[in-house]
Amino acid sequence: MKDYGKFIGSLSFDARLAFFDVVGSIAHVKMLAKCGIISQQEAKRIIKGLLAILAGMQKGRRLPQKEDVHYAIEAELIKRIGPVGGKMHTARSRNDQVALDLRLYIRDEIRAIYELLVSCQKSILVQAKKNLDAVAPGYTHLQPAQPILFSHQLLAYAWMFERDKERLKDCFKRVNELPLGSAALAGTSFPIDRKYVAKLLGFSAVTKNSIDAVSDRDFAVEFISCLAIIMTHLSRLAEEMIIWSSVEFGFVKLSGAFTTGSSIMPQKKNPDAAELVRGKTGRVFGDLAALLTVMKGLSLAYNRDLQEDKPPVFDAADTVSGCLEVTAEMIATMQVSKKRMEASAKKGFIGATELADYLAKKGIPFRKAHGIVKGIVDHCAAGDISLDGLSVQEYREFSKLFGPDVKKCIDPKNIIESKKSLGGTSSKQVRMQIEELSKKI
Ligand code: ARG
């Protein structure tokens, strides 16, 4: 009969939990000794053995080929220190052990991803400050809508990342509960001290129901959900990069580190890194769908299906980390063409709303003003002229309410400065955002 150990086992992917497995075991063994379940002497030998295993792994030593990382470490321990190594597994099961390892791993990943979000925010802040005077067209439907400060648009992403950070912080609270001590599903008859282990490992609470603790992975689902939302933000920013760096737009130039040439078209500078961030979003959504599907309909308590929780968690964390790192650097190193943006901000009749507001402020009902300006836009479009190509006299042919100040009213810079409402695009408001965000990173 063929050996199906590889199919059943998980060492090929859960070996990356080895560090957390050892850390968890050390805390467990310390507790066993403190509670008199094993002797201090035995605990010392086990801990020394575990630390040696860790040191060996750091030097590249591989674990013995066992079913999973928990068995592999135990086998290696017994090989090194003898049968006393077998006492390590007193009062626990692999079920609570693996739940612990995954929580320890996710805790670390949350911290690391949080920092990567901060570095993306820092890159955005640097660019937002440096280009504070850059006037750009703002879009709806990817059609020119109203002029904005380029910094304002960039900062929109910094706020998204701020919420992503908050979501991760909140998720951390539910990850940060100790499942160890739940044993296989029912708890244990050994006089263990779970609170002591929680303290040693920095958990803020112990889980309240042993069946729940070994069988739910909602903390992991929540973690990947947070990551999926981060990817939606990253993919949107990536899409902007792709559009902005196109020849037609030319708003930004991406550093050569993030673009590639074509094997046939010598002129090409493709924004591959941004495209990959956009593309990898699908993987993380897939990871979320995979884990949700693993969990759906599982009866209590532990089922081996749960072993399939790890690949999507690892893949989502790796993917998001890589994408955040690339994005932070891509933003920090991009060159911004204020000239191209400003020229663009004059096209597309982008001052039209302002003209309608101008008339509305003089007492014409806005709906009527909208109609008058639509007439002006149609006239300009037919003659291929821009809004500032009309003379005051010509404006007055559409409405006698237009005065000499109409020219000022359609200047993109003036339009921007007029948007003084809280959170608006005026330079004062944008500076306030920069200040507020700087305090948060
Ligand atoms: N490798 C297993 C997993 O990842 C560890 C727990 C095994 N428990 C069991 N009862 N077979 O889920």
Side-chain angles (χ1 to χ4, degrees):
M1 192 67 171
K2 207 176 143 193
D3 177 8
Y4 289 103
K6 264 221 168 100
F7 178 83
I8 291 167
S10 51
L11 189 64
S12 62
F13 54 85
D14 68 12
R16 69 185 281 179
L17 291 176
F19 171 78
F20 302 102
D21 199 70
V22 168
V23 168
S25 289
I26 290 175
H28 179 65
V29 166
K30 279 189 179 165
M31 180 278 291
L32 291 177
K34 176 185 161 282
C35 296
I37 299 166
I38 63 172
S39 74
Q40 289 290 353
Q41 202 49 36
E42 288 165 334
K44 258 194 198 146
R45 282 181 61 196
I46 294 173
I47 291 169
K48 209 172 142 206
L50 285 170
L51 289 174
I53 293 174
L54 210 53
M57 280 184 324
Q58 270 154 6
K59 281 192 212 123
R61 270 193 68 156
R62 286 171 52 138
L63 290 168
Q65 280 304 313
K66 296 286 171 195
E67 187 181 298
D68 58 25
V69 66
H70 324 294
Y71 273 152
I73 289 175
E74 189 183 65
E76 179 68 17
L77 182 71
I78 293 171
K79 197 175 104 196
R80 282 173 187 252
I81 68 168
V84 66
K87 290 206 172 191
M88 171 173 73
H89 208 56
T90 314
R92 78 172 180 191
S93 147
R94 280 184 300 155
N95 296 353
D96 55 346
Q97 188 179 356
V98 72
L100 170 67
D101 291 4
L102 194 61
R103 283 176 187 263
L104 288 170
Y105 166 82
I106 291 179
R107 267 192 351 187
D108 262 30
E109 287 297 323
I110 288 180
R111 292 192 189 104
I113 292 171
Y114 188 96
E115 286 313 314
L116 287 169
L117 284 164
V118 170
S119 56
C120 279
Q121 288 181 307
K122 280 187 180 157
S123 299
I124 289 175
L125 276 174
V126 168
Q127 290 287 10
K129 281 187 210 161
K130 200 162 87 187
N131 297 291
L132 204 47
D133 56 341
V135 168
Y139 297 88
T140 64
H141 314 267
L142 202 57
Q143 302 287 332
Q146 291 182 311
I148 48 155
L149 285 182
F150 176 63
S151 301
H152 192 48
Q153 178 142 349
L154 265 187
L155 287 165
Y157 288 97
W159 290 110
M160 296 179 213
F161 295 143
E162 188 57 29
R163 292 192 296 279
D164 290 335
K165 281 162 57 189
E166 282 169 20
R167 257 185 294 275
L168 282 176
K169 258 204 236 169
D170 203 58
C171 169
F172 189 91
K173 285 190 229 156
R174 283 170 290 280
V175 176
N176 203 25
E177 290 186 5
L178 176 85
L180 202 69
S182 303
L185 79 162
T188 174
S189 54
F190 287 97
I192 59 171
D193 183 349
R194 296 187 65 206
K195 290 191 175 152
Y196 176 68
V197 181
K199 204 170 140 213
L200 287 179
L201 293 173
F203 283 99
S204 57
V206 297
T207 53
K208 305 290 184 291
N209 180 311
S210 57
I211 297 177
D212 176 35
V214 292
S215 62
D216 206 355
R217 295 291 183 268
D218 57 355
F219 66 92
V221 172
E222 197 178 341
F223 173 59
I224 306 186
S225 308
C226 294
L227 301 191
I229 297 175
I230 294 175
M231 288 307 297
T232 63
H233 293 155
L234 286 178
S235 72
R236 297 183 70 185
L237 181 52
E239 172 74 1
E240 309 266 29
M241 291 295 142
I242 293 162
I243 294 172
W244 290 344
S245 66
S246 66
V247 171
E248 288 76 5
F249 275 71
F251 290 0
V252 302
K253 255 204 190 109
L254 300 177
S255 147
F258 303 108
T259 59
T260 63
S262 152
S263 59
I264 171 170
M265 299 165 281
Q267 83 283 12
K268 294 279 268 182
K269 233 183 136 193
N270 301 324
D272 295 45
E275 290 171 308
L276 283 166
V277 170
R278 192 176 56 183
K280 283 173 191 285
T281 304
R283 289 171 66 132
V284 179
F285 292 2
D287 292 328
L288 177 59
L291 187 56
L292 284 168
T293 312
V294 166
M295 299 310 298
K296 181 187 172 295
L298 274 191
S299 67
L300 294 174
Y302 180 87
N303 294 278
R304 196 57 173 264
D305 314 47
L306 290 174
Q307 184 165 282
E308 287 296 314
D309 60 357
K310 284 166 279 298
V313 169
F314 295 155
D315 184 64
D318 291 345
T319 306
V320 168
S321 302
C323 290
L324 282 169
E325 206 182 306
V326 162
T327 301
E329 200 56 26
M330 188 159 56
I331 300 287
T333 54
M334 72 183 180
Q335 280 174 32
V336 176
S337 170
K338 294 182 196 174
K339 254 171 84 186
R340 287 293 297 258
M341 281 183 200
E342 223 159 289
S344 220
K346 290 198 170 127
K347 287 193 237 161
F349 310 112
I350 212 164
T353 313
E354 238 38 51
L355 285 175
D357 283 351
Y358 177 101
L359 293 176
K361 281 174 191 163
K362 298 206 168 181
I364 297 194
F366 182 80
R367 190 51 54 223
K368 187 157 181 233
H370 184 280
I372 295 172
V373 177
K374 178 129 187 24
I376 298 175
V377 169
D378 289 346
H379 169 79
C380 287
D384 199 19
I385 33 179
S386 63
L387 286 179
D388 67 351
L390 290 185
S391 68
V392 178
Q393 213 39 52
E394 285 167 308
Y395 271 109
R396 288 176 65 81
E397 279 163 30
F398 289 91
S399 167
K400 288 285 169 248
L401 290 172
F402 283 120
D405 54 347
V406 65
K407 295 292 239 185
K408 261 206 272 168
C409 134
I410 51 167
D411 178 69
K413 282 195 178 124
N414 292 334
I415 297 176
I416 287 170
E417 288 311 330
S418 74
K419 302 292 183 285
K420 290 184 172 39
S421 52
L422 271 182
T425 196
S426 73
S427 55
K428 187 169 169 221
Q429 287 297 325
V430 172
R431 255 188 240 110
M432 268 165 60
Q433 285 184 61
I434 292 176
E435 238 171 75
E436 212 177 309
L437 267 171
S438 305
K439 280 188 225 142
K440 291 183 185 290
I441 61 174

